[in-house]
């Protein structure tokens, strides 16, 4: 089922940085003049919404200098293949995530894990929406590439990748130092339909490939100088990365 983008789904965060809400997932547009960096790309069913969000900020898909992937779960790479094949957009990620994006293997929550927790509030409605949005579709990324070098990337916003493994082995957050923004992906979120808690938190345990490692990666986020967090799920968070990571760590025992 295709997501229809509404005006309030696009939030201008600072300058020309926009957080966009899709089908229970977010992506980020970092605009610089007539080009941009796109971080994540929604579910497969969000493809038209991704393109609409670019048009809404005055850009077309050809203006995307690169798509940065936080991790290669279906709800974050849905439009990646289309952007790569139709417009030649490079799709970049941590080297350990490249084989996952190619679908040499699939490391995301299984139907069995979801069914075992279907009794929990929010799980079944979320699962139905995820299926309709393409959560189980086969969506390998054509020609995924590792970052070309360490440190800031030569892209709009000069994003700095931060390896935050645990959710997946190659998960990365992205720091925008000049904007004071941290794009956390699924290393830290602020809400999820399957969670009973709002605010900074880890996703429930079934979503992580290695939950202890995901918990340990909060220390990476904690050391970032950022005042605004853009998560992969949930609303924009205004507050320091240090405080948000500490809150997520404190709440972590409740999310299993």
């Amino acid at each position: 089922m295709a997501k229809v983008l509404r005006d309030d789904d696009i939030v201008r965060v600072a300058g020309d940085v926009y957080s966009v809400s899709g089908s229970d997932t977010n992506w980020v547009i970092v605009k610089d003049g007539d080009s941009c960096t796109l971080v994540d790309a929604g579910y497969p069913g969000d493809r038209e919404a991704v393109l609409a969000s670019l048009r809404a900020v005055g850009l077309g898909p050809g203006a995307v200098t690169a798509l940065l992937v936080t991790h290669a779960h279906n709800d974050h790479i849905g439009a990646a293949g289309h952007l790569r094949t139709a417009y030649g957009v490079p799709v970049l990620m941590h080297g350990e995530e490249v084989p996952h994006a190619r679908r040499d293997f699939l490391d995301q929550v299984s139907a069995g894990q979801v069914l075992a927790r279907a009794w929990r509030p929010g799980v079944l409605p979320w699962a139905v929406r995820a299926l309709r949005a393409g959560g189980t579709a086969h969506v390998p990324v054509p020609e995924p590439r590792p970052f070309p070098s360490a440190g800031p990337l030569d892209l709009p916003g000069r994003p700095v990748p931060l390896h935050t493994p645990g959710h997946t082995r190659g998960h990365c957050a992205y720091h925008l130092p000049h904007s004071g923004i941290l794009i956390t992906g699924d290393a830290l979120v602020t809400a999820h339909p399957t969670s009973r808690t709002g605010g900074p938190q880890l996703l429930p345990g079934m979503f992580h490939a290695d939950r202890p490692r995901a918990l340990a990666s909060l220390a990476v986020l904690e050391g970032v100088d950022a005042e605004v967090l853009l998560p992969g799920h949930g609303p924009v968070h205004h507050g320091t990365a240090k405080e948000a990571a500490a809150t997520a760590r404190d709440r972590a025992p409740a999310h299993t």
Side-chain angles (χ1 to χ4, degrees):
M1 180 178 293
K3 162 75 176 183
V4 177
L5 204 65
R6 304 171 305 188
D7 289 345
D8 59 359
D9 287 329
I10 304 176
V11 176
R12 187 171 188 172
V13 181
D16 279 335
V17 180
Y18 302 84
S19 178
V20 187
S21 300
S23 303
D24 291 329
T25 190
N26 304 329
W27 56 90
V28 178
I29 301 169
V30 184
K31 186 179 177 183
D32 184 1
D34 59 359
S35 64
C36 75
T37 300
L38 179 65
V39 183
D40 285 342
Y43 277 100
D46 288 329
R47 189 177 86 179
E48 292 305 316
V50 170
L51 299 177
S53 69
L54 292 169
R55 292 193 297 270
V57 302
L59 300 173
V64 180
T65 304
L67 167 61
L68 299 182
V69 172
T70 59
H71 64 293
H73 285 163
N74 274 26
D75 56 333
H76 295 263
I77 61 167
H82 179 69
L83 290 169
R84 176 67 192 141
T85 57
Y87 302 99
V89 174
V91 184
L92 306 178
M93 63 201 71
H94 191 276
E96 290 193 55
E97 201 68 9
V98 168
H100 190 202
R102 284 196 304 253
R103 288 299 184 257
D104 295 355
F105 60 89
L106 179 60
D107 196 1
Q108 67 181 24
V109 65
S110 68
Q113 289 173 303
V114 172
L115 287 172
R117 295 162 178 82
W119 59 272
R120 294 185 178 183
V123 171
L124 194 56
W126 163 79
V128 170
R129 291 195 301 273
L131 283 170
R132 290 175 174 172
T136 59
H138 182 58
V139 286
V141 176
E143 302 177 86
R145 304 181 194 174
F147 305 126
S149 60
L153 300 173
D154 187 18
L155 297 171
R158 300 283 292 171
V160 180
L162 301 168
H163 189 206
T164 45
H167 185 63
T168 64
R169 66 191 69 178
H171 187 286
C172 269
Y174 296 96
H175 184 207
L176 306 176
H178 301 297
S179 303
I181 291 171
L182 177 61
I183 302 168
T184 60
D186 285 6
L188 182 153
V189 302
T190 57
H192 192 269
T194 65
S195 172
R196 303 177 191 181
T197 304
Q201 60 189 282
L202 286 181
L203 283 166
M206 67 174 173
F207 293 110
H208 299 298
D210 185 337
R211 188 173 181 274
R213 206 174 180 198
L215 184 60
S217 284
L218 290 173
V220 176
L221 304 181
E222 201 167 27
V224 177
D225 183 14
E227 300 285 339
V228 181
L229 275 62
L230 308 186
H233 304 276
V236 174
H237 178 76
H238 294 273
T240 67
K242 182 176 181 179
E243 292 169 343
T247 298
R249 184 181 296 109
D250 290 344
R251 289 174 167 174
H255 294 272
T256 56

